[in-house]
Amino acid sequence: MRLITPVLLSLLSLTFASPPPRPPPRPPGHGHGKEKYPLVGYGLENPLGPTTGGADGPIVTVCTVEALQSAVAGTEPRTVLLDGSFELPEPLQVGSNKSLLGVGRSGGRITKNGISILNGTNVILRNLYVGFIEGGDGLAIQGSTRVWVDHNEFESDMDHGPDYYDGQVDIVRASDWITVSWNYFHDHWKSSLVGNSDALRDVDFGHLHITYHHNHWKNSGTRGPAGRFGHQHIYNNLYTSFRYQAIHSRSDNQMLVEGNVFRGPNTGEALSTYGLVVPADSPNTSPDGDFEIDGFVNLGARNDWGPATVNITQVGNFTETGYRYELTPLWKVGREVERGAGLGRI
Ligand SMILES: *[C@@H]1O[C@H](CO)[C@@H](O)[C@H](O)[C@H]1NC(C)=O
Ligand SMILES: *[C@@H]1O[C@H](CO)[C@@H](O)[C@H](O)[C@H]1NC(C)=O
Ligand SMILES: *[C@@H]1O[C@H](CO)[C@@H](O)[C@H](O)[C@H]1NC(C)=O
Ligand SMILES: *[C@@H]1O[C@H](CO)[C@@H](O)[C@H](O)[C@H]1NC(C)=O
């Protein structure tokens, strides 16, 4: 009996134990549940699990650079509301399990230095303005997984030429499972580079799964985006006056491209897979252009290339994303992206 009683007791306590407490409902702004602009694509459906950012942690509001820097540090889950403008003295290092949400119609405003996610996971960035960044990229995602970059505005100018500013959103070093959606990228030469070096081929190969959807690129030079070594699904984006190489798949990269719309004036090449990076990309470092091997493209639903040209040298095998998504009808893409992308929409 002595032995049996504790067993019986523990069985009873198992049977009558109250259910584990439910997690608190996620605060809005994390793209889950019934939001108007939910998270879709590799940031949601991937082998590591959905990107939730800081949804399980406390919410803090910051209005100084120092408060911002400490709120985004560490790996504890936290939602950080950026209220106002932040002229950063150095790139902002964002730790894992964070949501950075800009407040109000003009968003949280980041200038001078950009945002860096280095060897992290599970980060959400929404309703942020990132403009005229002089020290490196607007957003650099390195060695990181599960990132959602949504409804932000990235801006600089074309007057300083191609080599003055760096990228707007660069995704490198085996980063993976990322969604870049509803952003307004404009007045910038080299927009979004995926995989930044041939020397990192073995590191990058088989990673760099990124969904780009419903972004508006306007008055840009190259890299909308440019990909090496990975897989990117590029759908329902709007390109207005994209001058040189917009969507560029090279160095064995695979892209699935569908339902995108190109408009003039001054629009160059919508889509290409040949290895040459045009001299207009980086004339100071590569005056003759940069020679790589070709990439691959698959075309899904019809695109509207408008006045832009297309040069596909190799068709690949990336025909299925493995996740659920809904295409906006082609005739609606221009209006919906113009109305929906950028700040003050979420
Ligand atoms: C936060 O992120 C780290 C990865 O850097 C992960 O290992 C950890 O489980 C996360 N913490 C919480 C509380 O979710
Ligand atoms: C990031 O990860 C890379 C690859 O594992 C490593 O070489 C590098 O030292 C890490 N950097 C930091 C700051 O943790
Ligand atoms: C496409 O690119 C290849 C490789 O650069 C080039 O040889 C070919 O002439 C181009 N085709 C068109 C139609 O521009
Ligand atoms: C897809 O094509 C690439 C490049 O030719 C090849 O390396 C890869 O093995 C192919 N994948 C499948 C599943 O056929």
Side-chain angles (χ1 to χ4, degrees):
M1 277 311 273
R2 271 206 179 140
L3 279 173
I4 289 168
T5 309
V7 172
L8 270 177
L9 275 176
S10 69
L11 275 176
L12 278 172
S13 68
L14 267 183
T15 313
F16 295 107
S18 51
R22 277 205 203 184
R26 291 199 168 120
H30 295 84
H32 300 269
K34 287 201 173 119
E35 292 190 32
K36 185 174 177 197
Y37 295 105
L39 171 57
V40 176
Y42 285 124
L44 179 70
E45 294 186 48
N46 66 64
L48 306 179
T51 306
T52 55
D56 297 331
I59 303 177
V60 297
T61 301
V62 297
C63 44
T64 66
V65 169
E66 295 70 29
L68 172 62
Q69 287 168 328
S70 69
V72 302
T75 62
E76 315 77 50
R78 202 174 295 128
T79 294
V80 181
L81 304 180
L82 285 78
D83 190 358
S85 296
F86 304 84
E87 189 182 302
L88 299 177
E90 61 201 13
L92 183 69
Q93 302 296 334
V94 178
S96 298
N97 312 317
K98 297 291 182 298
S99 296
L100 277 65
L101 309 178
V103 171
R105 292 195 66 81
S106 53
R109 303 184 75 82
I110 304 280
T111 55
K112 196 156 180 187
N113 280 277
I115 300 171
S116 164
I117 304 171
L118 175 59
N119 297 350
T121 188
N122 195 24
V123 175
I124 294 176
L125 304 171
R126 301 183 84 189
N127 205 38
L128 304 177
Y129 169 89
V130 180
F132 300 90
I133 302 304
E134 303 200 0
D137 298 321
L139 169 62
I141 302 175
Q142 275 191 61
S144 297
T145 56
R146 297 191 297 156
V147 182
W148 186 27
V149 183
D150 179 77
H151 280 97
N152 305 291
E153 178 174 341
F154 295 87
E155 173 184 24
S156 65
D157 61 67
M158 302 285 281
D159 307 338
H160 288 82
D163 287 316
Y164 186 76
Y165 299 104
D166 213 331
Q168 290 183 310
V169 174
D170 283 9
I171 303 174
V172 304
R173 298 223 177 207
S175 290
D176 226 344
W177 314 121
I178 293 169
T179 295
V180 178
S181 54
W182 298 101
N183 298 287
Y184 181 28
F185 295 105
H186 66 105
D187 297 285
H188 189 90
W189 211 281
K190 297 185 276 203
S191 183
S192 187
L193 179 65
V194 177
N196 65 337
S197 168
D198 282 349
L200 294 171
R201 181 188 178 91
D202 292 343
V203 172
D204 285 342
F205 208 89
H207 299 287
L208 302 171
H209 291 85
I210 306 166
T211 306
Y212 286 87
H213 73 88
H214 295 95
N215 298 288
H216 187 191
W217 271 281
K218 187 173 182 182
N219 199 23
S220 308
T222 59
R223 311 183 185 176
R228 281 178 172 119
F229 315 121
H231 287 74
Q232 299 90 43
H233 180 210
I234 299 173
Y235 74 92
N236 288 158
N237 299 286
L238 171 64
Y239 298 80
T240 311
S241 295
F242 204 115
R243 294 193 200 173
Y244 302 101
Q245 283 170 314
I247 307 172
H248 190 195
S249 186
R250 59 201 202 220
S251 290
D252 284 338
N253 188 70
Q254 301 260 356
M255 284 182 177
L256 172 59
V257 177
E258 53 185 341
N260 300 288
V261 171
F262 285 76
R263 289 186 181 152
N266 304 319
T267 291
E269 199 156 49
L271 172 63
S272 49
T273 58
Y274 54 79
L276 175 72
V277 181
V278 293
D281 187 75
S282 302
N284 293 356
T285 46
S286 310
D288 300 321
D290 193 16
F291 294 89
E292 298 177 16
I293 58 173
D294 291 10
F296 300 90
V297 155
N298 288 86
L299 296 178
R302 200 163 66 83
N303 295 276
D304 174 358
W305 306 121
T309 59
V310 172
N311 188 343
I312 299 174
T313 58
Q314 295 191 122
V315 174
N317 53 26
F318 182 30
T319 54
E320 297 284 338
T321 60
Y323 56 72
R324 285 157 296 166
Y325 62 101
E326 202 176 313
L327 285 165
T328 301
L330 195 58
W331 63 272
K332 276 189 177 171
V333 168
R335 206 175 51 183
E336 290 212 355
V337 173
E338 255 168 10
R339 280 188 190 165
L343 302 173
R345 307 286 197 266
I346 58 165

